[in-house]
Amino acid sequence: MGPVCTALTESPPPALSRVASQFEEHLEHRLARLALPEALLEAVQYAMLGGGKRLRPVLLMLSCRAVGGADADALGPAAAIELIHAFSLVHDDLPAMDNDRLRRGRPTLHVHAGEAMAILAGDAMMSLAFELVLESPGALGRGDAGHLVRELSQATTAMIAGQVYDTLGGFPPELSDRERLDLIHHSKTGAIIRAACRMGAICGGAAPDQLRILSRYGEAIGLMFQIVDDVLDVTQTTEHLGKSAGKDQSAGKLTFPGLIGVEASRQEVARLRSAAGGALEPLGEAAWPLRELADYMAMRTR
Ligand code: IPE
Ligand code: IPE
Ligand code: MG
Ligand code: MG
Ligand code: MG
């Protein structure tokens, strides 16, 4: 099956892979220093170090760079956002949620370590995130710690609300299916992606207009990202994705391909990709890597 969008390549460009590797190295060392009981540390490491594209930390680091910030100020918050993301996956896969047994090409954490440990490791990942988000000397020095915590906390709450809509419903009254779908996707996935961009900007000491630009970019790629995820669920195989494909329809999920079809979903991806690129224009060359990342996020096949 082809990628969701046309042109370019489906693998991450080398410049982005370098940022991801830099993050990976930081993450591995930082997790090894956590003071946790052995079995809990093993579970957290299993959930955090078993592959994953690292899109949110890379977004955070590139957003920091785009406003002239230093990587040393972004690495801690980047680990924090990946902790929240991986926690959301661990709980998303639980039997009471999506009931998935495969994630990142391996057994899910509850299959590997049991359901109680998966619940507790997810809890710990959430609280650890709020410790690591403070590991940004520049942001702390500028008095921006509270701002970072608020971004992470509001996005995490939005993600959880989105998971409630996705899993249990309970929408505000009188929303059309399309409005419900936008609400689910902006909440369960978009909020964390937008926060990654905003937190990167804050780490880099962004001016208010730079923060607004990166917010707009983050909002567009956040929705785009989940549309691509929905399309891949119906167009790719489990082997290729490393997580179970074809499950959204059988689970009765409200998805873009389910509601508007695969072709119209692809057009929506193209529209959001160009909106994201357009939002970045005022930042000039400094934002080129973010544009490249949006292209890859539209093009990815896993
Ligand atoms: C999967 O996210 C969950 C969604 C929000 C759709 P990713 O596709 O970024 O998962 P990893 O981190 O690469 O495994
Ligand atoms: C998951 O959406 C969103 C979050 C984890 C918050 P999905 O349920 O579609 O993600 P996958 O397809 O299992 O990765
Ligand atoms: Mg889900
Ligand atoms: Mg799922
Ligand atoms: Mg999915």
Side-chain angles (χ1 to χ4, degrees), residues 92-93 98 100 103:
D92 181 72
D93 290 334
D98 289 352
D100 271 310
R103 169 69 63 186

Side-chain angles (χ1 to χ4, degrees), residues 92 97-98 163 166-167 188 253:
D92 181 72
M97 300 276 292
D98 289 352
Q163 290 285 69
D166 180 271
T167 312
K188 78 169 183 177
K253 299 280 184 182

